[in-house]
């Protein structure tokens, strides 16, 4: 981590022509963005030209048809069903079953809107949640779909993020609006290289968020807790960055409310999903056999199967390990993925 921190600091000193300049917390995103842009030629407007919303929806159709033998169709809205003319409704059809999926995409340009790649990744992430609900088949409703142990709730969504970064997937739907040519492999490689430039910094940030969440929602004495001081102390202890006095950014960190004492599950799910991707999906991500494994060994069970058994049956024993009397993810696949 300190190696990455010093690299960013050296870059700031060169840009600012100030050999004594130190890094401040507000420098992180700004200079990391500059470094990624200078290291890899990625023009956001060029990238977005390959991702009009209509094509991205076709990409989701490629996924469900290739993996599960299902198809998407846009269907008309009923009277009074929509609050805006740009809202669209999609129906997912399977030869043996029919399921409805209702989604909305916010844009003033409707299906012609262009998405940046971050939005594409988010679309695939949320689609993973949708598939978890759509494809589960449990005897009891309260175990269906995303009603699972928090430790694995984000696993399908993190798994489908990998599809948004894989050239073999992107070339099937990310087409130039004028020529119809698929997105260049060189551009996808540049996107991936840019994403993976500061893996330790990204990981440290998520660890800090998780520790902060566990601390604020953990056991406390009857004395009121000064959350500002608590977060400031954790920032200094568990990151390389200073805390900006007089701020309380954690009060707008909405995941503290949604995931109270459970934000760590994002890191758990990322580890699980990375192992699943490497062991099950990466070899042939769009094959029907891969889709059958995703559906039959994972998605269909919802929360009706013990998570440790579910994960081992799906990705092998290496996906988890015992530690301190409990079960934790094996981090080797994640470390391999991000180059740590």
């Amino acid at each position: 981590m300190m190696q990455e921190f010093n690299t960013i600091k050296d870059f700031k000193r060169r840009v600012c022509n100030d050999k004594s300049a130190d890094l401040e917390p507000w420098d992180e995103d700004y200079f990391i963005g500059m470094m990624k842009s200078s290291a890899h030629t990625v023009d956001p407007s060029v990238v977005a030209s390959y991702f009009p919303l209509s094509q991205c929806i076709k990409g989701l159709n490629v996924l469900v048809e290739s993996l599960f033998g299902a198809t998407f169709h846009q269907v008309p809205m009923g009277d009074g069903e929509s609050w805006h003319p740009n809202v669209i409704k999609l129906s997912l059809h399977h030869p043996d079953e029919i399921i409805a999926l209702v989604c909305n995409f916010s844009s003033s340009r409707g299906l012609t809107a262009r998405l940046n790649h971050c939005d594409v990744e988010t679309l695939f992430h949320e689609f993973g949640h949708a598939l978890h609900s759509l494809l589960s088949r449990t005897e009891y409703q309260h175990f269906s779909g995303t009603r699972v142990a928090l430790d694995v709730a984000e696993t399908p969504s993190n798994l489908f993020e990998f599809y948004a970064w894989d050239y073999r997937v992107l070339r099937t739907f990310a087409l130039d609006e004028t020529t119809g040519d698929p997105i260049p492999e060189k551009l996808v490689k540049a996107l991936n290289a840019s994403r993976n430039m500061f893996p330790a910094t990204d990981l440290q940030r998520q660890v800090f968020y998780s520790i902060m969440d566990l601390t604020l929602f953990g056991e406390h004495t009857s004395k009121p807790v000064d959350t500002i001081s608590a977060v400031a102390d954790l920032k200094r202890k568990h990151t390389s960055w200073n805390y900006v006095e007089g701020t309380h950014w954690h009060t707008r960190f909405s995941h503290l409310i949604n995931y109270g004492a459970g934000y760590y599950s994002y890191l758990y799910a990322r580890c699980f999903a990375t192992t699943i991707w490497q062991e099950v999906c990466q070899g042939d991500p769009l094959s029907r056999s891969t889709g059958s494994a995703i559906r039959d060994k994972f998605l269909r069970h919802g929360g009706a199967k013990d998570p440790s058994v579910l994960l081992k049956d799906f990705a092998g024993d290496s996906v988890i390990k015992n530690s301190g009397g409990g079960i934790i993810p094996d981090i080797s696949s994640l470390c391999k993925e991000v180059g740590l």
Side-chain angles (χ1 to χ4, degrees), residues 178-232:
T178 303
T179 66
D181 294 333
I183 188 171
E185 186 173 9
K186 181 179 180 181
L187 179 56
V188 177
K189 287 182 177 179
L191 284 170
N192 277 275
S194 177
R195 174 181 64 148
N196 293 327
M197 275 188 68
F198 294 95
T201 301
D202 293 338
L203 189 58
Q204 184 190 66
R205 185 186 307 113
Q206 293 302 312
V207 169
F208 164 60
Y209 290 162
S210 301
I211 293 175
M212 176 182 67
D213 177 47
L214 289 169
T215 300
L216 294 179
F217 284 89
E219 293 184 6
H220 298 284
T221 63
S222 58
K223 182 180 179 181
V225 175
D226 180 351
T227 61
I228 296 175
S229 297
V231 170

Side-chain angles (χ1 to χ4, degrees), residues 68-86:
F68 311 116
T71 55
F72 264 139
H73 298 283
Q74 184 174 344
V75 294
M77 286 285 181
D79 292 340
E81 189 175 5
S82 170
W83 58 93
H84 192 278
N86 284 343

Side-chain angles (χ1 to χ4, degrees), residues 13-203:
R13 290 177 173 178
R14 291 196 303 272
V15 170
C16 298
N17 195 25
D18 183 354
K19 294 182 179 180
S20 62
D22 288 325
L23 276 180
E24 301 296 346
W26 54 83
D27 290 330
E28 182 177 357
D29 290 341
Y30 179 71
F31 285 109
I32 284 179
M34 288 183 66
M35 293 176 74
K36 287 184 175 183
S37 296
S38 62
H40 304 285
T41 306
V42 178
D43 184 336
S45 63
V46 172
V47 174
S49 70
Y50 289 98
F51 297 110
L53 179 55
S54 58
Q55 286 299 115
C56 293
I57 292 175
K58 288 182 181 178
L60 300 183
N61 199 36
V62 168
L63 282 184
V64 297
E65 187 168 8
S66 299
L67 291 173
F68 311 116
T71 55
F72 264 139
H73 298 283
Q74 184 174 344
V75 294
M77 286 285 181
D79 292 340
E81 189 175 5
S82 170
W83 58 93
H84 192 278
N86 284 343
V87 176
I88 64 173
K89 182 168 64 173
L90 303 173
S91 179
L92 179 65
H93 295 266
H94 189 274
D96 304 318
E97 305 161 90
I98 298 175
I99 311 163
L101 173 63
V102 181
C103 301
N104 71 84
F105 303 92
S106 176
S107 171
S108 60
R109 298 179 59 200
L111 288 173
T112 62
R114 293 179 173 184
L115 305 185
N116 59 47
H117 191 263
C118 180
D119 290 334
V120 176
E121 182 185 46
T122 299
L123 176 61
F124 277 61
H125 176 103
E126 301 303 337
F127 186 63
H129 284 307
L131 286 175
H132 203 176
S133 292
L134 288 166
L135 299 180
S136 72
R137 293 294 179 270
T138 58
E139 183 176 0
Y140 298 106
Q141 184 266 351
H142 60 282
F143 288 135
S144 176
T146 56
R147 297 176 178 88
V148 297
L150 188 60
D151 288 358
V152 297
E154 294 289 337
T155 299
S157 54
N158 273 267
L159 175 62
F160 278 93
E161 283 185 19
F162 282 101
Y163 281 84
W165 291 94
D166 193 283
Y167 174 68
R168 295 166 294 178
V169 177
L170 294 178
R171 70 184 179 190
T172 65
F173 71 92
L175 310 178
D176 185 275
E177 294 176 289
T178 303
T179 66
D181 294 333
I183 188 171
E185 186 173 9
K186 181 179 180 181
L187 179 56
V188 177
K189 287 182 177 179
L191 284 170
N192 277 275
S194 177
R195 174 181 64 148
N196 293 327
M197 275 188 68
F198 294 95
T201 301
D202 293 338
L203 189 58

